């Protein structure tokens, strides 16, 4: 399934985080873009990240900006005022505790205020190219739809996927399932008619599909 998704991936619109990671290969930008992306659509996250990084792209330069300036730059991401404060707090922590370097382990990243498992996993996998599985709502929903796991929460899904999948595919699970979920395997009315892995998918829980794709 992953091989088929990989062949189809160039035809999809990439996620905002994938664009940031590919463009910069900078764990700090991946970390901050992840914070901006929470409860925010990609169409908003991408431009907001570009505006912010054009002004400040390191912890040192970010701390020179007042929270109000950051809030204006990232508006209209969700909770933009709160995120501006969180970003400044993260930058202070990075400088005071990690010498300005973004940690490359899940445990260390989780000590940063505002960083949860999803963000920590994305930084490790997309920022440092280390093996790992980042589970968001797309990965949780789709891996259950595919029958790979039977879980109730993203945290349960993350643990189950480590057991159910080959380690060589871990870096690709989030990358492909999120993009595929945004473009084809949608939460409601998935486009099963144009799905490249339909012959292998049990479509667990799917009751209706998009008529336009059939």
């Amino acid at each position: 399934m992953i091989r088929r998704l990989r062949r189809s991936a160039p035809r999809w619109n990439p996620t905002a985080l994938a664009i940031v990671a590919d463009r910069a290969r900078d764990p700090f930008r991946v970390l901050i873009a992840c914070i901006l992306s929470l409860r925010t659509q990609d169409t908003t996250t991408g431009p907001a990240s570009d505006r912010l990084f054009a002004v400040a792209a390191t912890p040192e330069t970010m701390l020179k900006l007042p929270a109000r300036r950051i809030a204006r730059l990232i508006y209209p991401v969700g909770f933009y005022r709160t995120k501006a404060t969180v970003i400044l707090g993260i930058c202070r922590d990075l400088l005071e505790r990690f010498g300005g370097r973004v940690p490359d382990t899940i445990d260390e990243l989780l000590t940063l205020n505002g960083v949860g498992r999803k963000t920590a996993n994305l930084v490790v996998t997309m920022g440092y190219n280390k093996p790992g599985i980042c589970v968001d709502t797309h990965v949780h929903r789709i891996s259950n739809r595919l029958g790979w796991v039977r879980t109730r929460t993203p945290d349960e899904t993350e643990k189950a996927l480590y057991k159910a999948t080959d380690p060589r595919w871990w870096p690709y699970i989030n990358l492909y399932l999120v993009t595929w979920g945004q473009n084809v395997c949608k939460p409601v009315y998935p486009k099963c008619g144009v799905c490249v892995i339909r012959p292998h998918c049990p479509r667990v829980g799917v009751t209706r599909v998009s008529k336009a794709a059939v």
Side-chain angles (χ1 to χ4, degrees), residues 79-90:
F79 306 98
Y80 61 96
R81 291 190 182 93
T82 300
K83 288 179 180 178
T85 302
V86 168
I87 288 170
L88 288 175
I90 287 174

Side-chain angles (χ1 to χ4, degrees), residues 30-83:
V30 173
L31 170 58
I32 300 305
C34 284
I35 298 297
L36 297 182
S37 73
L38 300 175
R39 298 189 181 183
T40 302
Q41 293 185 348
D42 272 9
T43 52
T44 300
T45 299
S49 299
D50 290 341
R51 290 192 301 271
L52 181 60
F53 296 144
V55 176
T58 66
E60 295 87 349
T61 55
M62 196 72 72
L63 279 176
K64 294 179 181 179
L65 302 178
R68 286 185 297 178
R69 178 82 188 282
I70 295 176
R72 286 197 299 269
L73 288 168
I74 65 177
Y75 177 84
V77 302
F79 306 98
Y80 61 96
R81 291 190 182 93
T82 300
K83 288 179 180 178

Side-chain angles (χ1 to χ4, degrees), residues 28 31 59 89-103 112:
F28 178 71
L31 170 58
I90 287 174
C91 290
R92 290 191 193 95
D93 261 3
L94 292 178
L95 289 170
E96 293 173 2
R97 297 170 48 213
F98 299 102
R101 182 176 182 271
V102 175
L112 298 171

Side-chain angles (χ1 to χ4, degrees), residues 72-166:
R72 286 197 299 269
L73 288 168
I74 65 177
Y75 177 84
V77 302
F79 306 98
Y80 61 96
R81 291 190 182 93
T82 300
K83 288 179 180 178
T85 302
V86 168
I87 288 170
L88 288 175
I90 287 174
C91 290
R92 290 191 193 95
D93 261 3
L94 292 178
L95 289 170
E96 293 173 2
R97 297 170 48 213
F98 299 102
R101 182 176 182 271
V102 175
D104 61 354
T105 67
I106 299 293
D107 289 342
E108 287 180 312
L109 284 162
L110 289 175
T111 67
L112 298 171
N113 184 43
V115 174
R117 289 200 66 85
K118 171 188 172 182
T119 297
N121 271 300
L122 281 172
V123 172
V124 168
T125 56
M126 299 180 75
Y128 284 105
N129 292 317
K130 287 189 171 185
I133 303 174
C134 173
V135 176
D136 64 358
T137 55
H138 287 292
V139 175
H140 171 61
R141 169 176 53 82
I142 294 173
S143 58
N144 274 275
R145 181 177 283 177
L146 291 171
W148 291 356
V149 298
R150 295 182 65 182
T151 54
R152 294 172 296 176
T153 67
D155 284 349
E156 289 180 2
T157 299
E158 181 186 344
K159 295 176 183 177
L161 282 174
Y162 280 122
K163 297 178 180 179
T165 58
D166 191 304

